[in-house]
Amino acid sequence: MMPLQVNFQKTALVLIDLQKGIVATSNGQDVVEKAVPLVRLFREKGGFIAFVNVDFHDGQDRLMPGTDQPVQAVQPPQGWAEFVPELGVRPDDYVVTKRQWGAFFGTDLDLQLRRRGIDTIVLCGIATNIGVESTAREAFQFGYHQIFITDAMKTFSKEEHEASCNYIFPRIGKVRSAEQFLAEAGGAE
């Protein structure tokens, strides 16, 4: 495995759905704990951070195609889409609100990254095989280099998580743990 060469001026940290409602219902506090040092490092190095959440205006903007496992459309409780406080999201931070699994479709994420000259994204969040993998596949098709922080991700089962981490992510980017990324990129300029 080649060591990472991270240029923080051209790299963005993209955090998927680390919001109160999803972290609580997925028991995702361990993901938040792994993500916090990444946020800190990107702030210290002047890297760009995109905080991504999922929320709906009135429920009519929710994707509801016919599926074998339909999801019941319920209005989320108050505060559901707010980011967990541990991330320290500031009023001037860049926030992407998506209405589907991936963070690129229907948002200005690609535009904002390109305007800043960003060609690499570091990706983590919940759920590994849904919001994270959908965003990763979109980023791959847009031509971004990607680094996946797999222990800062979580999904419904170990098997689902490992399928994305073992079979999808290595084909479209580089796979690291939070500790590996911090060690490799922490001293980078």
Side-chain angles (χ1 to χ4, degrees):
M1 192 177 343
M2 295 287 294
L4 299 175
Q5 302 292 320
V6 179
N7 176 348
F8 283 91
Q9 300 310 303
K10 299 182 76 150
T11 303
L13 174 62
V14 180
L15 302 129
I16 303 294
D17 299 342
L18 295 183
Q19 59 195 70
K20 291 178 180 178
I22 291 177
V23 170
T25 58
S26 66
N27 196 22
Q29 195 58 38
D30 53 335
V31 173
V32 173
E33 290 169 8
K34 296 284 186 180
V36 167
L38 299 171
V39 170
R40 190 175 309 120
L41 177 65
F42 270 78
R43 289 201 192 281
E44 288 170 5
K45 299 288 186 178
F48 187 68
I49 304 172
F51 295 94
V52 180
N53 67 350
V54 62
D55 197 13
F56 305 100
H57 172 71
D58 59 4
Q60 298 301 309
D61 50 355
R62 181 186 300 261
L63 290 175
M64 295 299 292
T67 63
D68 285 336
Q69 290 184 339
V71 175
Q72 185 179 1
V74 295
Q75 189 64 22
Q78 186 73 19
W80 183 83
E82 294 173 12
F83 293 101
V84 293
E86 297 90 329
L87 295 176
V89 178
R90 302 173 184 166
D92 61 335
D93 281 329
Y94 176 65
V95 171
V96 176
T97 298
K98 61 188 177 72
R99 311 227 188 265
Q100 63 284 324
W101 290 0
F104 284 96
F105 180 78
T107 74
D108 71 342
L109 178 59
D110 180 55
L111 176 68
Q112 294 303 324
L113 297 177
R114 291 187 191 282
R115 285 186 176 174
R116 290 166 171 78
I118 291 168
D119 63 10
T120 304
I121 64 172
V122 175
L123 198 56
C124 63
I126 301 171
T128 308
N129 61 325
I130 297 179
V132 177
E133 186 177 319
S134 295
T135 300
R137 287 173 181 260
E138 292 170 339
F140 176 74
Q141 293 177 130
F142 280 127
Y144 289 99
H145 302 285
Q146 297 183 83
I147 303 166
F148 302 100
I149 311 302
T150 57
D151 61 345
M153 297 178 189
K154 186 175 210 157
T155 195
F156 308 102
S157 72
K158 180 180 177 184
E159 294 79 16
E160 289 171 287
H161 176 78
E162 288 180 352
S164 295
C165 294
N166 294 334
Y167 300 108
I168 302 300
F169 297 156
R171 298 183 73 134
I172 61 177
K174 297 180 179 187
V175 175
R176 299 291 190 276
S177 69
E179 183 178 350
Q180 288 171 323
F181 179 81
L182 293 167
E184 292 180 53
E189 288 303 321

